[in-house]
Amino acid sequence: MLYENIREESLKLKVAADWFPKFDCTDIIGRIDFAVKIKRPDNAVDFGDEYLLWAEAKQQPTDICRMLAQLIITIKADAYNRVPPKFIGCFDNEKIAFVEYHNVLPIYQINDFNWTQTPSAVDDKTVDTVHNAISANQIFSFNFETDQAELRNFLKVNFNLDAATNLLSTLIDKNNFIFVYQKWLKMVMPKINADWAVLKKNYGIYDRDFFLAELNVDDNGTAEVNDDKTVNADFYITFDAADKKPYQLVRKDGFGMEATYSFGFKSDGLQQYTDFWKHYKRPPQNEYWKYILERLDLLVPQDVRERKGAFFTPQIWVEKSQQYIASVLGENWQDEYYVWDCCAGTGNLLNGLTNKYKIFASTIDQQDVDVMRERIGNGANLLENHIFQFDFLNDDFSKCPPALQEIINSPEKRRKLVIYINPPYAEHRSRKQVIGTGSNKTSVATETKIYNQYSNIVGTATRELYAQFLIRIYAQLTNCVIAQFSTLKGVQAFNFKKFREFYKPELKSLFLVPANSFDNVQGVFPIGFFIWDSAEKQRFNGVLANAYDNRGVEVERKFVYSYDNDRLVIEWIRQFFDKHSDTIGYLRMKNTDIQNKAQIFFTSMPSKADFREKTYTFISKNNIIQMAIYLTIRCVIDGTWLNDRDQFLYPNDGWKTDYEFQTNCLVYTLFHGQNKITSAQGPNHWIPFSETEVNAKEEFSSHFMHDFLCGKINAEQQKDLFSDVDTGVETVHAPSLQMTPESQAVMDAGRELWRYYHTMADANPNASLYDIKEYFQGRDAKGKMNAKSDDKQYTGLLDNLKAAMQTLAAQIRPKVYEYGFLK
């Protein structure tokens, strides 16, 4: 065999040298095992890192789809927002496989794909999903030994170094036009001699308009590439590279006379423009153009997107929302009610509505108004005089069209008005939050009239623009129906409690969808579609909501609570803070919802930031059980997009007498990955075994945890906790610590792992589980612990421990709900 009996790191070096010698294969991208990058001459134009391949590597023969599944999960976690490579792939010591990146994109839209699992331990269901999603003819697989000629030919065609170094043009299409635009912002935009602030303020012109102008010419930079006049009509800037000032803006003045404004390049701008467009091929297909123009919201700068709410509502949720409105208001609702989208963007939320005489659409940006009006000619079911520019958070209703004013001013007609919106989400950020981010948007939500009018009444909720929309609608458009998309902050967040005291329409219906089903929304959390009747008053306490995955398939229903009458788990754990006893470690705490589970851990020493922000507490013999319960309940519940914002609460008293639950939690914390106790930062008091049990070569510096498990230490004892010596016997548990078969199985699996570690010649007798993992897995060039090890026996023992932990976790989870930590 070509690559027999070599470790994984050596395999990666050999594959790089044998098959990709003219490329750079040294980059480390998160946990991606292998990356092939184009080498550029020092004097080449900087287009950023350009990758041809990201790959998963395995030392031993492994199923291709299993390797690809691991890589896909890793990309989602570590590199999803980077410019993708041409191929993703995988290899082991026998074979290598390639898949064009665009062929795996549909997988990222599968909501029931388990994105939370560890890549190195993907389950069979995930592997089957990848197998079904990628057809056999999309996978190019080669055996290193028997397919050498075929592999070299494949690489010659698809990894053409000469073409790559000569700036092979990349076709701009639906998948990459956002990334190309982002590169254009860095390379070309700064070289254009234009006052961007004036253009934005006075003409509603953004940098994207200049980018689109460059995009809509041939490769010589002159003639327009589209003959579709409805497409070209959407351009505000035209471009002709033959002109000294190639960018042209034509606008009518107050007398109806056309005025032309020209913009040129700065000193080296033309060369920068030329270099940029050598690298990319403009899209000639009208279908691409129509898609790009329909998705202009993606080319709006982030700060403008946040202010305007220019986030595209997927058509699947547009249709679903209109179905829910019909179920609440009746099937003839479009003929019986008026509809106003007061933050309409380019109007996609109104798709599917049929009665144009009852539809109104407004947006803060005149450019979006123009786009909506132009599309009426293409079949958009709207009236031109019902589309208008309007700043909902600042303008007076007198600026609305007369037909809409008549509705607003009539109490009876307002009852038949549906405010149908997907409002902007931007929030005011304190100076503390902005420092170090490069952002200066501390006043994005605090400069509106609505903020100034209601902030003293509603409190901090007014720092969020979407809340300001709801506040004005509820207060000034009384008795209307409110149908809106938003996160669940309004009904759940603790800093929205005053908002809920003020905002009390009756909730008629709610469904939930994954946030990442909306473009450019990152994170794993729910977005809801709410239908409120402001004519009826009822403070929100809770509701059972329907939920749908990314494909619109209904999943389990979800209770959504306000938590206004609940106490949080932090109040419970505070009772057990102990600053005066001997410290065996620290608990790091962060917020009280499921989404922050990664921020909860045991550590030997808090960080400087934790000391400064006081996000830690001391662990001692007096509170170790309670601290173990706290860490366990925070870690044992798997986070999903549905439960992401669920709050951990003050429990009932059932846990106090459930000694099996207490013991299970203690054992769970001893072997969980969030136990980051390390002997490198002081004595390790967390070794659950004796020296004899694990065949240690030296005496441990502390026997605390072993003695505690044996029942030799309790809160009443006053002796030195850390001076006991090894008894040389197996653990015997005190009556208050009641081992279950599941917790004993974890102890047994852990003992075997410790025993194997202590066979190593350089084993540290005081090593913690964290230290043992570091020993076998090592760290990458960035200092991050590797996710896996080349040591097969260690990997097998660790897998056994993980399996036992999963069984123990299944025993613990029902108790988390039974004792009221979650509801």
Side-chain angles (χ1 to χ4, degrees), residues 10 110 168 281 334 372 609 626 670 693:
S10 299
I110 300 175
L168 175 67
K281 185 173 180 61
Q334 294 194 51
M372 282 191 283
Q626 292 83 1
L670 291 177
E693 288 180 84

Side-chain angles (χ1 to χ4, degrees), residues 585-602:
Y586 299 86
L587 167 68
R588 204 274 190 160
M589 304 170 292
K590 186 80 170 181
N591 298 327
T592 56
D593 51 8
I594 288 177
Q595 68 171 319
N596 282 287
K597 66 183 292 184
Q599 307 300 319
I600 313 300
F601 51 83
F602 286 172

